């Protein structure tokens, strides 16, 4: 069974045909982890997970939304995380590329959510864009039990540091892009037992659909590219990533 460990099916891009997309995902036999980016999308993720047996949820506040959090946001996330279909805290982290939220606020909200994850014994799902140094420093300071570097874009050397901290790495449509030399190299060299697949839909659709709305049914395309990069079979990729998904999120096989 294929797993898309990072999707945003709550996104407004799906408002016109969400039910049809969900039906196609079910027919394709793909498990989806839907990630929250603020309180409202986290609630929506939980709602989707409750309604569909092939969907799990993560709840969290994205760094772009960090400046908007209200005083009780951690309590709200904790309440949402009490749902048995919630398997992680995310998407959380740092984004210094856009700097939509002030960096000190991003850092504070990131750390607060890591502490919540630790108290609930849940893994975290990390967004890290142009903030490798500070992300690593915060993780080394707070020491979450384990987590996922979603849409990993760092170096192989940095990945080794994250592995020591108990992290896994997910790769999406980017590894199908012709100019994505570094992600391809990293995806081909990381230990297979640390690799997962994602779409980050509706964004980052793989070739030959680049520029179009993405969805979890394109996971097999990403798996095929991962197999090519690692010179193994698609079945080996499927089996390994499914096992890694269960191990990361503390789920029974």
């Amino acid at each position: 069974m294929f797993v898309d460990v990072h999707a945003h099916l709550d996104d407004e891009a799906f408002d016109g045909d969400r039910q049809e997309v969900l039906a196609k995902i079910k027919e394709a036999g793909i498990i989806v982890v839907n990630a929250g980016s603020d309180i409202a999308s986290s609630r929506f993720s939980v709602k989707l997970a409750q309604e569909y047996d092939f969907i799990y949820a993560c709840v969290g506040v994205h760094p772009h939304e960090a400046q908007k959090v209200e005083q009780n946001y951690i309590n709200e996330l904790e309440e949402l995380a009490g749902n048995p279909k919630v398997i992680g805290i995310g998407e959380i982290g740092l984004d210094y590329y856009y700097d939509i939220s002030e960096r000190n606020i991003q850092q504070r909200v990131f750390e607060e959510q890591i502490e919540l994850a630790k108290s609930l014994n849940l893994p975290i799902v990390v967004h890290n864009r142009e903030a490798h140094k500070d992300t690593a420093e915060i993780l080394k300071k707070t020491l979450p039990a384990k987590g996922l570097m979603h849409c990993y874009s760092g170096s192989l050397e940095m990945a080794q540091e994250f592995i020591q901290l108990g992290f896994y790495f997910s790769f999406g449509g980017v590894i199908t892009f012709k100019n994505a030399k570094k992600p391809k190299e990293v995806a081909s060299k990381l230990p297979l037992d640390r690799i997962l697949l994602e779409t980050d839909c509706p964004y980052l659709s793989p070739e030959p659909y680049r520029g179009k709305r993405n969805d979890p049914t394109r996971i097999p395309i990403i798996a095929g590219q991962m197999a090519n990069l690692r010179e193994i079979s698609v079945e080996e990729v499927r089996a390994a990533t499914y096992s890694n998904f269960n191990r990361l999120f503390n789920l029974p096989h």
Side-chain angles (χ1 to χ4, degrees), residues 1 26 30-32 47-56 85:
M1 191 169 279
K26 182 176 182 178
I30 295 170
I31 295 171
V32 180
K47 181 175 182 290
L48 284 172
Q50 287 180 307
E51 293 177 355
Y52 296 91
D53 60 0
F54 57 91
I55 296 180
Y56 291 91
K85 290 295 291 293

Side-chain angles (χ1 to χ4, degrees), residues 152 171 173-190 225-226 229-230:
Y152 185 66
F171 296 89
V174 171
I175 63 170
T176 70
F177 300 169
K178 292 179 180 178
N179 60 347
K181 293 182 179 179
K182 185 167 73 172
K184 289 180 179 180
E185 178 188 11
V186 175
S188 70
K189 293 182 177 178
L190 280 173
Q225 175 68 344
M226 182 66 75
L229 292 172
R230 300 187 68 93

Side-chain angles (χ1 to χ4, degrees), residues 2 30 172-173 175-176 197 205-209 214-228 234:
F2 284 116
I30 295 170
I175 63 170
T176 70
L197 306 174
S205 206
E207 297 287 2
Y209 302 100
N214 201 6
D215 72 64
T217 63
R218 292 183 177 149
I219 278 289
I221 298 173
I222 299 165
Q225 175 68 344
M226 182 66 75
N228 290 337
V234 173

